[in-house]
């Protein structure tokens, strides 16, 4: 391997640092994308699922006669039939089991009870509505506190040895050191807060077309999957199919955001039905199916305590989480960590000690626990610490920005190991936050705020500074269901100098077809437009763990650099042969190999590619191709400083965003335009959660939030304008210095908005308003403070 090459390229090559237009957009914008629901196979049947209307009930009987009698219905599948094939239950990504179709009980509203297969999707849906289930109602448990009380009914009574509703307890950090620090503290500040259940709500819902060949047993499964290779292996394990006969094709995806990581019951039923009926089967969720039954995010009840010394320096953190897991424990998260990476909760601060405890509880709600647009629960952690830190500043009478600057990890402390065991690779938090403060005019704003208050106007300045941990592996620590979290890339350069790059990850909108080509363009000098990126087809791409947790760039992006460098090494040998020079004298820059000292003696990467098939030096294999599997030595730790300015109307509780300044540091930006798009997306989601978005349940466990009338997705109309800033501290271990960014803005921004509203009311003693910050909540907070 050679040293890091010169990666700068002119715009026509379009390597790292150029805002190259997204190569995938033309086909998507012109309606030429291939989305799952566009796919029609000959003889294909359509599947609809009958879901439980109630949250908790015993099934006495299921009457499918009326549904079966409908013309066009080919089959009705119940749990009993699935049980006959040993498929009534399936393993989850967290080592629990989940009902595929309910046999004994239903455990949440919207649970899958039966499926209808018909010649037309509307016939299937209508017939599914005719299925009659005889339920014996049971009391619904709708919150984790209630669920862990002694008299709560046991939801998972089918699980051997399960006598209560506790899923897990987990802890991290040093309890004794933390207790000692608290005992010696000058001041203890605490906060209890709830990060409500929300839903990734991608524009495209989840779906499958399963096509099992009854003769060969070959299963071709088109799936809205963020992780096609992992899904192939899990399919093989769940269904007992030989893995070489499973091909998962994940076509264009209309947004994933974590929702398309788990395996859902509908996938299993559709595949089983295709196998049994010998025809292709399509199932795609309705909007309500999606919102009511598939992987939700958040739902963490959190309590945090900070111990401070008399100068306002942080001494220790205690954090305590109660997670509402729903009826099945199916979080998508590394198996070593029961509450995901929540223990990153010490955030951007230099904590001498910390102790984190987490409990999960079963409830009569949909399962899921996907880390919706965050790296395994980091959003929740970041929210807690940022709310707590801001409150601590008010409690000791220090400015919240000053408090942060006092307690930040300093630049000279990196690499920095947190008391819960993360080693942050790099950072300069002080510079980042000061830059954001300068941009917003922090000191003047505080003066304006004071004057406004005298006039009876409530202005609030909210800050959040977050540190994310993204890019899992390293494989020694991170695995999902035992599958180690490395990733891969395979690169072939054709004789004419054009290339095909195949990835283990799978874009759902993040622009990999552009950014990953840019990495090759920088490394080898092949123009971006000459590189085709292939992904999402397990027969044609190297193994990988998929796209989530902002891991694609840190893992598969690194593998793309590594494989390019392998090819560059071989290309240098070929160039030396063509130029009749020593290999050691060959320099490569922007696709031109030249002889050191005589730059006019040169060949291009295209010349070299042609020679690889036509004029190879003795002793070298033909071709110019290779693959790399990259296992990162550590996560990457992007961070950001966000400042929100709001004005709150004290009469109505309505708040309006005046400024939103977002500084992100994700190391080297491959494509600045795409990075900004990712940040815009995350900031919008953060705004949604802080202002309007949550899924609630009534006392009977009815889901409120099963449609876009009740579950609000912000449009451009209500979304504030974002002012973006950046700093760039490259990741020291990533081959091109990039850190993941795909979800940073979602992680950092909610606390900034909520802190801003609280800041407007802080002088009244208001210290907490839960998300979403609805006007009546603001109003209640003002009322109770007065
Ligand atoms: N990038 C870059 N320079 C960097 C870092 C990233 O140019 N220093 C580019 C990447 O090359 C990639 C994009 O930004 O094209 C995001 O990269 P990365 O941070 O590696 O994250 P992933 O590609 O792994 O994407 C996952 C992340 C997650 S977890 C969610 S959730 C989310 C998100 O991406 N879901 C999305 N952004 C989304 N954007 C769209 N349009 N749709 C989704 O479903
Ligand atoms: Cu965290 S949701 Mo994204 O990891 O697919």
């Amino acid at each position: 391997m050679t040293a890091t090459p010169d990666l700068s390229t002119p715009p026509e090559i379009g390597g790292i640092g150029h805002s190259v237009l997204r190569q995938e957009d033309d086909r998507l914008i012109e309606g030429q994308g291939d989305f799952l629901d566009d796919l029609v196979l000959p003889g294909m049947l359509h599947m609809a699922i009958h879901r439980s209307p109630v949250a908790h009930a015993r099934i006495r009987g299921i009457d499918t006669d009326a549904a079966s009698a409908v013309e066009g219905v080919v089959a009705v599948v119940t749990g009993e039939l699935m049980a006959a094939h040993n498929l009534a239950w399936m393993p989850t990504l967290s080592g629990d089991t989940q009902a595929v179709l309910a046999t004994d009980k239903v455990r949440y509203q919207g649970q899958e009870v039966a499926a209808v297969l018909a010649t037309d999707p509307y016939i299937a849906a209508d017939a599914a509505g005719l299925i009659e289930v005889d339920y014996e109602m049971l009391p619904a448990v709708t919150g984790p506190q209630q669920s862990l009380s002694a008299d709560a009914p046991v939801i998972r009574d089918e699980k051997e040895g399960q006598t209560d509703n506790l899923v897990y307890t987990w802890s991290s950090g040093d309890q004794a050191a933390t207790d000692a620090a608290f005992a010696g503290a000058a001041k203890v500040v605490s906060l209890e807060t709830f990060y409500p259940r929300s839903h990734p709500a991608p524009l495209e819902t989840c779906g499958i077309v399963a096509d099992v060949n009854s003769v060969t047993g070959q299963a071709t499964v088109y799936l809205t999957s963020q992780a096609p290779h992992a899904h192939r292996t899990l399919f093989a394990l769940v269904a007992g199919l030989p893995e070489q006969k499973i091909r998962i094709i994940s076509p264009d995806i209309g947004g994933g955001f974590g929702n398309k990581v788990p395996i859902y019951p509908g996938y299993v039923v559709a595949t089983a039905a295709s196998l049994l009926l010998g025809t292709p089967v399509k199932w795609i969720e309705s909007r309500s199916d999606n919102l009511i039954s598939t992987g939700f995010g958040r739902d963490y009840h959190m309590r945090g305590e900070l111990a401070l010394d008399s100068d306002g320096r942080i001494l220790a953190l205690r954090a305590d989480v109660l997670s509402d897991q729903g009826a099945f424990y199916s979080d998508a998260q590394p198996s070593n960590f029961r509450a995901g990476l929540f223990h990153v909760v010490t955030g951007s601060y230099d904590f001498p000690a910390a102790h984190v405890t987490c409990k999960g509880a079963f409830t009569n709600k949909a399962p899921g626990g996907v880390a919706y647009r965050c790296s395994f629960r980091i959003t929740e952690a970041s929210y807690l610490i940022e709310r707590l830190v801001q409150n601590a500043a008010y409690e000791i009478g220090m400015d919240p920005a000053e408090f942060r600057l006092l307690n930040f990890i300093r630049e000279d402390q990196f690499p920095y190991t947190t008391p819960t065991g993360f080693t942050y690779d790099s950072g300069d938090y002080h510079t980042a936050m000061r830059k954001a403060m300068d941009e917003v005019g922090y000191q003047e704003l505080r003066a304006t705020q004071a004057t406004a208050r005298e006039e009876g106007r409530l202005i609030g300045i909210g800050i959040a500074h977050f540190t994310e941990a993204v890019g899992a592996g390293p494989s020694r620590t991170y695995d999902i269901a035992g599958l180690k979290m490395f990733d891969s890339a395979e690169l072939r350069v054709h004789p004419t100098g054009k290339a095909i790059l195949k990835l283990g990850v799978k874009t759902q909108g993040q622009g990999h077809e552009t950014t990953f080509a840019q990495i090759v363009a920088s490394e080898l000098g092949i123009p971006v437009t000459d590189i085709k990126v292939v992904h999402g087809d397990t027969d044609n791409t190297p193994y990988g763990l998929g796209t989530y947790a902002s891991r694609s760039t840190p893992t598969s992006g690194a593998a793309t650099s590594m494989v390019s460098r392998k090819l560059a090494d071989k290309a240098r040998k070929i160039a030396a042969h063509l130029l009749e020079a020593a290999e050691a004298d060959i320099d490569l820059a922007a696709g031109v190999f030249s002889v050191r000292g005589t730059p006019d003696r040169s060949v291009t990467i295209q010349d070299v590619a042609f020679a690889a098939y036509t004029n190879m030096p003795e002793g070298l294999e033909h071709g110019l191709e290779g693959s790399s599997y990259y296992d990162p030595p550590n996560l990457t730790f992007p961070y950001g400083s966000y400042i929100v300015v709001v004005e709150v109307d004290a009469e109505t509780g309505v708040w309006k965003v005046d400024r939103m300044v977002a500084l992100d540091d994700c190391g080297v930006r491959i494509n600045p335009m795409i990075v900004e798009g990712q940040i815009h997306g995350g900031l919008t989601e953060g705004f949604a959660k802080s202002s309007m978005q949550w899924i609630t349940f009534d006392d009977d466990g009815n889901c409120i939030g099963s449609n876009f009338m009740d579950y609000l997705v912000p449009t451009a109309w209500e979304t504030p304008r974002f002012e973006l800033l950046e700093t760039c501290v490259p990741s020291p271990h990533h081959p091109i210095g990039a850190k993941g960014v795909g979800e940073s803005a979602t992680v950092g921004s909610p606390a900034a908005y909520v802190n801003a509203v609280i800041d407007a009311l802080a002088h009244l003693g208001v210290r907490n308003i839960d998300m979403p910050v609805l006007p009546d909540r603001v109003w209640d907070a003002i009322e109770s403070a007065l």
Side-chain angles (χ1 to χ4, degrees):
M1 207 61 44
T2 48
T4 306
D6 174 7
L7 295 178
S8 60
T9 51
E12 32 328 335
I13 291 178
I16 295 163
H18 293 286
S19 286
V20 176
L21 292 183
R22 290 173 28 122
Q23 304 294 294
E24 45 270 81
D25 278 355
D26 285 349
R27 77 164 189 277
L28 298 176
I29 290 168
E30 293 184 29
Q32 298 296 315
D34 290 316
F35 292 92
L36 187 112
D37 206 23
D38 298 330
L39 187 70
V40 177
L41 296 181
M44 184 174 83
L45 295 176
H46 298 266
M47 189 175 95
I49 291 180
H50 176 92
R51 296 177 181 280
S52 171
V54 297
H56 201 192
R58 204 161 289 289
I59 296 177
R60 287 209 202 96
I62 303 178
D63 183 350
T64 59
D65 290 351
S68 301
V70 175
E71 200 183 320
V73 169
V74 175
V76 179
V77 183
T78 60
E80 207 179 320
L81 181 67
M82 294 299 282
H85 294 88
N86 206 16
L87 284 172
W89 292 81
M90 62 177 192
T92 69
L93 293 178
S94 292
D96 189 12
T97 47
Q98 175 171 358
V100 174
L101 292 177
T103 46
D104 54 339
K105 289 206 299 189
V106 288
R107 292 174 171 83
Y108 63 93
Q109 188 192 46
Q111 187 180 336
E112 299 81 356
V113 178
V116 175
L117 291 125
T119 50
D120 171 284
Y122 297 96
I123 294 175
D126 288 349
L130 297 176
I131 293 171
E132 297 272 355
V133 184
D134 181 11
Y135 290 114
E136 176 193 330
M137 295 298 291
L138 297 168
V141 183
T142 58
Q145 293 89 350
Q146 180 196 357
S147 148
L148 293 182
S149 73
D151 56 349
V154 178
I155 295 168
R156 297 297 301 281
D157 51 353
E158 95 293 351
K159 258 173 107 85
E160 220 175 303
Q162 182 85 35
T163 53
D164 57 18
N165 293 317
L166 184 69
V167 187
Y168 62 81
T169 51
W170 182 69
S171 68
S172 174
D174 184 336
Q175 184 166 17
T178 305
D179 288 349
F182 271 89
K187 172 96 185 158
V188 172
V189 181
S190 66
L191 176 75
E192 227 174 301
T193 185
F194 173 46
Y195 205 133
R197 176 176 284 230
S198 58
H199 198 283
L203 209 55
E204 179 202 36
T205 57
C206 302
I208 181 171
V209 176
D211 181 13
V212 186
N213 184 305
S214 57
V215 177
T216 62
Q218 167 70 38
T220 306
V221 177
Y222 303 85
L223 195 66
T224 53
S225 167
Q226 293 181 225
H229 289 279
H231 283 163
R232 183 188 70 199
T233 303
L234 295 170
F235 259 67
L237 296 172
V238 172
L241 297 170
E243 198 168 353
Q244 86 280 13
K245 291 195 175 176
I246 307 173
R247 177 179 181 192
I248 308 262
I249 298 175
S250 191
D252 282 327
I253 292 193
F257 308 109
N259 189 227
K260 289 167 179 165
V261 176
I263 291 186
Y264 295 117
Y267 300 166
V268 178
V269 183
T271 307
S274 176
L275 184 72
L276 295 176
L277 296 171
T279 53
V281 171
K282 179 191 280 186
W283 170 66
I284 183 143
E285 296 172 321
S286 68
R287 178 58 57 193
S288 289
D289 286 340
N290 180 256
L291 286 173
I292 208 171
S293 73
T294 59
F296 68 90
R298 325 302 178 207
D299 231 346
Y300 264 20
H301 299 259
M302 301 180 282
R303 193 185 146 73
E305 279 182 303
L306 276 186
L308 305 175
D309 73 9
S310 55
D311 298 327
R313 276 186 194 279
I314 288 172
L315 299 173
L317 171 73
R318 262 194 209 120
D320 197 15
V321 169
L322 179 55
S323 168
D324 186 336
Q325 296 293 154
F328 305 105
Y329 179 36
S330 60
D331 288 18
Q333 68 191 4
S335 53
N336 287 339
F337 307 107
R338 298 282 83 182
L341 306 187
F342 183 84
H343 52 311
V344 79
V345 62
T346 55
S348 312
Y349 308 96
D350 182 10
F351 271 95
H355 189 242
V356 182
T357 55
C358 304
K359 267 192 179 135
F362 289 121
T363 59
N364 290 119
K365 294 175 176 172
V370 296
Y372 164 27
R373 206 133 195 230
C374 89
S375 180
F376 311 120
R377 306 305 193 147
I378 285 179
T379 304
E380 292 86 318
S382 175
Y383 182 71
L384 178 63
I385 188 67
E386 285 308 305
R387 291 287 320 283
L388 197 51
V389 158
Q390 181 114 352
N391 279 3
Y394 301 134
E395 298 274 325
I396 62 168
M398 195 186 279
D399 179 274
E402 206 181 306
F403 184 82
R404 286 179 170 87
L405 291 167
L406 175 69
N407 284 295
F408 273 159
I409 299 162
R410 293 184 321 273
E411 195 195 353
D412 60 20
Q413 288 176 284
F414 290 97
Y416 173 88
T417 300
T418 73
T420 54
F422 291 90
T423 300
Y424 294 174
D425 56 1
S426 60
D428 180 356
Y429 300 159
H430 290 88
T431 299
M433 195 159 112
R434 287 204 180 100
K435 192 169 173 184
M437 287 168 72
D438 286 348
E439 179 69 21
V440 80
Y442 189 77
Q443 301 310 339
E444 303 90 273
L445 256 178
R446 283 287 174 207
T448 311
Q449 180 186 40
T451 327
R453 191 173 298 152
E454 281 161 23
E455 298 163 2
R457 285 169 54 216
L458 296 173
I459 290 177
I461 307 161
I463 301 173
H465 185 101
F466 67 92
T467 298
E468 262 210 288
V470 302
S475 68
R476 66 179 182 281
T477 322
Y478 298 93
D479 71 271
I480 284 196
L483 297 171
K484 298 288 190 183
M485 299 183 82
F486 55 81
D487 228 289
S488 62
E490 186 187 307
L491 180 61
R492 263 181 224 170
V493 183
H494 303 315
T496 54
K498 317 290 177 184
I500 182 164
L501 174 69
K502 302 182 173 195
L503 304 175
V505 292
K506 166 67 198 163
T507 184
Q508 314 120 46
Q510 293 89 345
H512 295 172
E513 289 175 32
T514 307
T515 51
F516 284 63
Q518 287 183 264
I519 297 175
V520 176
S522 264
E523 297 278 359
L524 290 176
I526 300 172
V528 166
T529 46
D530 285 354
I531 301 164
K532 172 171 156 185
V533 177
V534 173
H535 51 151
D537 176 350
T538 57
D539 269 8
N540 287 310
T541 52
Y543 204 88
L545 264 283
T547 289
Y548 43 85
S550 292
R551 64 184 301 279
S552 303
T553 303
T555 58
S556 182
T560 300
S561 286
M562 299 323 269
V563 71
S564 301
R565 288 175 196 181
K566 275 189 198 170
L567 265 55
D569 284 348
K570 182 170 181 184
R572 194 173 280 109
K573 289 190 172 58
I574 301 171
H577 160 71
L578 295 177
L579 293 166
E580 295 175 344
E583 190 193 330
D585 293 337
I586 301 290
D587 287 330
L588 167 61
V592 178
F593 297 84
S594 53
V595 182
R596 199 163 310 132
T598 41
D600 52 326
R601 278 178 66 205
S602 67
V603 289
T604 63
I605 179 73
Q606 289 78 11
D607 299 329
V608 167
F610 198 67
Y613 298 86
T614 57
N615 176 16
M616 260 323 226
E618 201 79 25
L620 266 191
E621 276 180 32
H622 279 93
L624 192 54
E625 64 179 74
S627 64
S628 275
Y629 281 73
Y630 187 79
D631 184 2
N634 190 1
L635 297 159
T636 65
F637 295 87
Y639 55 92
S641 256
Y642 293 171
I643 303 183
V644 168
V645 184
V646 299
E647 181 152 0
V648 179
D649 183 334
E651 301 293 319
T652 61
V654 171
W655 51 282
K656 177 177 128 283
V657 179
D658 285 340
R659 303 272 307 267
M660 181 350 151
V661 171
L663 179 144
D664 276 272
D665 192 313
C666 60
V668 173
R669 296 183 174 203
I670 300 163
N671 183 318
M673 176 197 71
I674 285 181
V675 167
E676 292 197 356
Q678 289 293 308
I679 293 169
H680 276 175
L683 291 174
T684 306
E685 290 177 59
F687 171 70
K689 279 185 296 253
S690 50
S691 63
M692 62 180 79
Q693 206 167 67
W694 57 340
I695 290 184
T696 54
F697 293 81
D698 72 10
D699 291 344
D700 297 322
N702 293 308
C703 173
I704 299 164
S706 62
N707 58 70
F708 280 161
M709 296 291 280
D710 295 324
Y711 189 69
L712 304 181
V713 177
T715 66
W717 175 255
E718 49 275 289
T719 304
R721 205 174 82 78
F722 306 126
E723 301 168 53
L724 302 190
L725 299 173
E726 63 176 285
T727 54
C728 176
V729 177
S731 165
H733 65 260
H734 190 275
I736 57 171
K739 305 173 185 176
V741 72
E743 38 208 6
S744 296
T746 326
V747 173
S749 62
Y753 288 102
V754 181
N755 278 340
V757 176
I758 290 172
D759 185 69
L761 310 173
H763 64 292
L764 303 171
V766 172
R767 292 286 181 270
N768 192 14
I769 305 176
D770 276 338
M771 280 194 292
V773 184
L774 305 171
D776 58 327
R777 289 182 162 183
V778 177
W779 207 78
D780 284 349
I782 297 173
E783 282 285 279
S784 50
L786 291 175

